[in-house]
Amino acid sequence: MSVFNNQKISLQADWHRADVVAALHKKGWSLRELSRQSGLNAGTLKSALDRPYRKAEEIIASAIGVAAHEIWPQRYEKRDFAPVLPRPARSATRVAEAA
């Protein structure tokens, strides 16, 4: 049995970076201003648009008013993925020793 057979195929795609920026603008935020208000360097939150960065994702999601896993479902699936590995069979001698 392969570990790869147990992986889920994502049905949802991550939001496009332009959609995230547009949602922030609709709420009255720019990435730079939100970064500054969060006590970060001006360009820090921009990195979450291209690569996983949990703290930045949470700040952006909070400003938009949705959960971070709704904006980046594929990232969270990868983070929460725990492969189900088959347990090795116990040999008869080990079972007898245990008894």
Side-chain angles (χ1 to χ4, degrees), residues 15-73:
W15 289 16
H16 189 277
R17 62 181 291 131
D19 294 329
V20 175
V21 172
L24 284 170
H25 287 183
K26 286 179 183 180
K27 296 290 186 173
W29 288 106
S30 69
L31 278 171
R32 294 180 69 76
E33 185 59 28
L34 184 57
S35 290
R36 285 190 208 107
Q37 292 293 322
S38 300
L40 303 170
N41 288 331
T44 302
L45 294 182
K46 184 179 177 187
S47 63
L49 299 178
D50 299 318
R51 59 189 166 276
Y53 183 3
R54 187 176 289 246
K55 179 179 178 181
E57 293 165 10
E58 293 294 334
I59 292 169
I60 292 169
S62 177
I64 294 173
V66 299
H69 65 85
E70 292 179 32
I71 300 172
W72 295 283

Side-chain angles (χ1 to χ4, degrees), residues 1-7 81-89:
M1 175 191 233
S2 173
V3 174
F4 298 108
N5 292 338
N6 293 328
Q7 291 182 354
F81 177 71
V84 179
L85 301 174
R87 297 185 83 179

